[in-house]
Amino acid sequence: MNVSVASSHSRRTVANMLALAGGHSGSTLVALAMTPFFYGTLGAAKYGLWMLFFSLVQYASVVDFGIGPGIVKYVAEDHTLGKHDAIRQMVTFASLFYLGVGAIFMMLFVIFGHSIIALIKMPEDIRPDAYPLLLGVAGYFFLSQLSFTLHGMICGLGRLDVSATIRAVSLIAWVFASFMALRLGFGLVGMLAGSFASLIVSMPILYAFARKEFGHVYCWPTAIHWGPVRRIFVTGGWIQLSSIMYLIYAQTNGIVIGLAVNVAAVAVYDLASRLSRSIRAIAYYVNAALLPAMSALEARSGPTAIHKALVDGSRYVAAISFCVSGFVISTAPIIFAAWLGSRAQNQRALLIELLIVLCITAVIENYIGVPSTVLRATGAPKVEAIYTVTTAFMSVLLIVLLVPRFGVLGVVVGSLVGSLIGGVLFLISFGRIRQVSIMDSFGKPLAKLFFVTVVSATATWLAVQFLVRHGTPSRPVAFLELAVGGCVYFTIFLTLLGVTSVFSSTDLAFVKRIVPTRFVIPIDRRFVRFLFAGR
């Protein structure tokens, strides 16, 4: 592949990442801004029950045999090779499959829903509303999975910017509808109605764009052949195992807290995890854009062309993840004061402890993300599946051991240790299979970034303690102090990046190649050259 074509594909991949980041960041800010209102209006118990039901239903909704990621991978490959009929067959089959699985699990929730409700510790006054709410949340999730097929198709076509925009519109519709319903006094029913409103808004837009970009999206069921569908299941079997194990690992926390502690504690956990999920989203931006790009790259040039993208992508994701997590951890007291105000004041110390552990866990997961995407893109997800099984097993085991004594904090610490053990084993296996030097490709950049983050976060934490020494500030003052803390942190962090040479002149050349020409002059400024080349 010549330089101009490589630059074009690199530019498209980065543009998709930026579109995902922009759309998700805007959506996240809207959701974070509304969370104090939802929490304050519903109360800790009802808000915790809402989040717990979402965790429960996601266990059932993951049973798709890896069809979602498979759609992205094979749509990208088939579109590159011009096999449009195969794409229609995959999309049609996936939609019918989701409908069938949704119907089966809805029936199971109808039959066993009361037994599930009986296990949850909750105030008696909200128990009568729990069963219909559980069925409503389940119905929403299974209907929303139909949209996953169209999102996967659009992503496979390389239009992640459109997918991100539609997701943002969907979230805004949910927030607006839920806000109005809560203001009118509909409580949890209003939250559920807002969820269905988001589907009503997003589904027609998804279909209209897919048809405009691709033509006829579906085919007659009788036209489906086993060949295109079989590929999804062959690759998707391992991806399905990874998805199930990751879901167990990710969602066990909230469920264990709801069963072993109470639903109010689930609300506290959710407040802390919302901020850490913004760090996890960093890997999502990159990996969602890399999966179709690498799948198409392998179809054109073979697996050897992926090595540089693997090493550089891992380093970029790690740098951003370390940077954001260090800032969030070092300014956590001010963030909660600015975000929640006086709400959850008596839980502030626990929120900070939970946030620190969750942020560290998010960085570990992000670092594994790019190698995992490489395995998916090259049709070899077995190692990722082994990693997720190991991580899920270790995390659940440690959570069960720690939660009786340490409560909510024991849950997140168990997840952190399990993630660390699984991550180390994964990188060792990945390096052996792909013949990649773990120390050169992963170890040295990680050590430098760890040093840069620890120094920057420690200095900022000391500055934050000086700012808040007179107690929790008001929300306007907290936002001002957050800006001051951010200036301190990012100044130190960026300076140390240049000193330690985390990036190189090769990275600067890559940036110049992918950005529009009108931005090249600012990129050539002395500070930017120092950041990338240390001089």
Side-chain angles (χ1 to χ4, degrees), residues 61 84 158 219 368 434 492:
S61 65
H84 292 172
C219 65
I368 303 300
R434 299 288 301 184
I492 299 174

Side-chain angles (χ1 to χ4, degrees), residues 343-361:
R343 297 178 181 87
Q345 181 66 39
N346 59 335
Q347 301 284 353
R348 194 61 54 83
L350 177 60
L351 281 170
I352 294 174
E353 292 173 351
L354 292 175
L355 179 62
I356 292 173
V357 179
L358 288 169
C359 285
I360 297 173
T361 306

Side-chain angles (χ1 to χ4, degrees), residues 198-435:
S198 68
L199 283 181
I200 294 173
V201 170
S202 63
M203 285 293 287
I205 301 175
L206 267 174
Y207 178 78
F209 181 83
R211 185 178 175 85
K212 176 179 178 296
E213 186 78 3
F214 184 76
H216 292 292
V217 176
Y218 302 106
C219 65
W220 287 104
T222 55
I224 297 175
H225 296 97
W226 180 240
V229 173
R230 180 180 177 275
R231 298 176 305 169
I232 300 177
F233 286 105
V234 171
T235 301
W238 291 110
I239 296 177
Q240 172 70 95
L241 180 60
S242 298
S243 299
I244 293 175
M245 291 299 104
Y246 179 78
L247 188 67
I248 292 173
Y249 160 71
Q251 299 298 332
T252 295
N253 292 359
I255 294 174
V256 170
I257 293 169
L259 297 177
V261 187
N262 53 60
V263 290
V266 178
V268 176
Y269 167 78
D270 179 73
L271 291 176
S273 65
R274 278 185 179 272
L275 293 173
S276 67
R277 285 200 296 268
S278 65
I279 299 174
R280 287 190 177 93
I282 295 168
Y284 167 75
Y285 306 148
V286 176
N287 296 332
L290 283 180
L291 179 57
M294 286 188 172
S295 297
L297 180 62
E298 186 187 30
R300 288 189 303 269
S301 307
T304 56
I306 295 178
H307 177 74
K308 182 170 174 30
L310 161 69
V311 175
D312 291 343
S314 298
R315 185 156 42 89
Y316 299 154
V317 169
I320 300 173
S321 301
F322 270 92
C323 180
V324 176
S325 63
F327 170 71
V328 171
I329 290 173
S330 61
T331 59
I334 302 177
I335 288 177
F336 283 118
W339 180 34
L340 300 177
S342 60
R343 297 178 181 87
Q345 181 66 39
N346 59 335
Q347 301 284 353
R348 194 61 54 83
L350 177 60
L351 281 170
I352 294 174
E353 292 173 351
L354 292 175
L355 179 62
I356 292 173
V357 179
L358 288 169
C359 285
I360 297 173
T361 306
V363 172
I364 296 173
E365 293 174 358
N366 283 4
Y367 205 60
I368 303 300
V370 175
S372 297
T373 302
V374 169
L375 294 175
R376 290 191 177 193
T378 56
K382 182 178 178 179
V383 178
E384 180 196 6
I386 296 173
Y387 154 67
T388 53
V389 169
T390 303
T391 301
F393 174 78
M394 292 299 302
S395 298
V396 172
L397 177 62
L398 291 168
I399 287 171
V400 171
L401 293 175
L402 294 175
V403 71
R405 181 171 181 178
F406 298 101
V408 181
L409 189 60
V411 172
V412 297
V413 170
S415 294
L416 169 61
V417 177
S419 180
L420 180 61
I421 294 173
V424 171
L425 294 177
F426 171 81
L427 288 178
I428 293 174
S429 300
F430 181 86
R432 185 177 66 254
I433 292 172
R434 299 288 301 184
Q435 296 183 342

